[in-house]
Amino acid sequence: MTSIRAATAAELADWDERTVDAPGGHVYQSRAWAEHRVAAGWAADHLVFEDGSAVLALRRLFPLVVGCSAYVPRGPIPRDEEPAVTADRLTTLVEHLRMASAAVVATDAEIPASTGYRELLASVGFRPIEEIQPSRHRVSLPL
């Protein structure tokens, strides 16, 4: 991935098909979620990569200093592709957000640990942080 840009009106019209209905998609990448977060004080960036895949990035200005934090909720979505492709998308997105004055970027794409995605992100400087949103605890009980 080498380029990313703001979504056009036509791309926004089918946004949820690209980010929710697509393989690996999530409702936290939807237009409705973006509108909900905007109502809570975030700015929503609907962005499209050169291959047509899309990502929602949320930004919030810091209250006392210049810059913002950015959050990519459950994204970028993996789209049934190699984890390295998703990691490359995220790297392109991080550079875009850096140019938009982001000082920190958080992401929590739902990609199995066994794929090596965590190690790919660690190689470009990402590290684990506390949960931004409450997580569910999936458990089972053999009967």
Side-chain angles (χ1 to χ4, degrees):
M1 297 296 114
T2 58
S3 68
I4 190 170
R5 58 174 173 71
T8 64
E11 290 164 335
L12 286 172
D14 69 356
W15 185 263
D16 288 355
E17 292 164 10
R18 294 168 180 264
T19 61
V20 178
D21 301 337
H26 199 281
V27 70
Y28 285 170
Q29 282 286 306
S30 69
R31 286 187 70 187
W33 185 251
E35 291 170 14
H36 171 68
R37 300 314 301 155
V38 166
W42 291 78
D45 296 327
H46 296 86
L47 302 166
V48 178
F49 294 96
E50 63 191 28
D51 68 354
S53 61
V55 65
L56 169 66
L58 302 171
R59 291 178 294 110
R60 185 169 216 150
L61 293 175
F62 292 132
L64 301 175
V65 296
V66 175
C68 65
S69 65
Y71 175 40
V72 187
R74 302 299 191 266
I77 62 168
R79 296 173 38 124
D80 283 343
E81 61 201 4
E82 291 297 315
V85 175
T86 306
D88 285 345
R89 266 197 197 92
L90 181 58
T91 301
T92 298
L93 176 59
V94 166
E95 287 307 312
H96 175 83
L97 293 168
R98 183 188 324 269
M99 299 304 291
S101 300
V104 63
V105 176
T107 179
D108 57 1
E110 293 183 330
I111 299 174
S114 62
T115 65
Y117 187 68
R118 180 179 180 160
E119 291 77 13
L120 289 166
L121 296 189
S123 74
V124 295
F126 279 92
R127 60 178 180 75
I129 61 171
E130 292 295 320
E131 289 287 329
I132 293 173
Q133 299 171 1
S135 63
R136 65 183 188 144
H137 298 278
R138 186 173 179 195
V139 298
S140 68
L141 174 65
L143 299 175

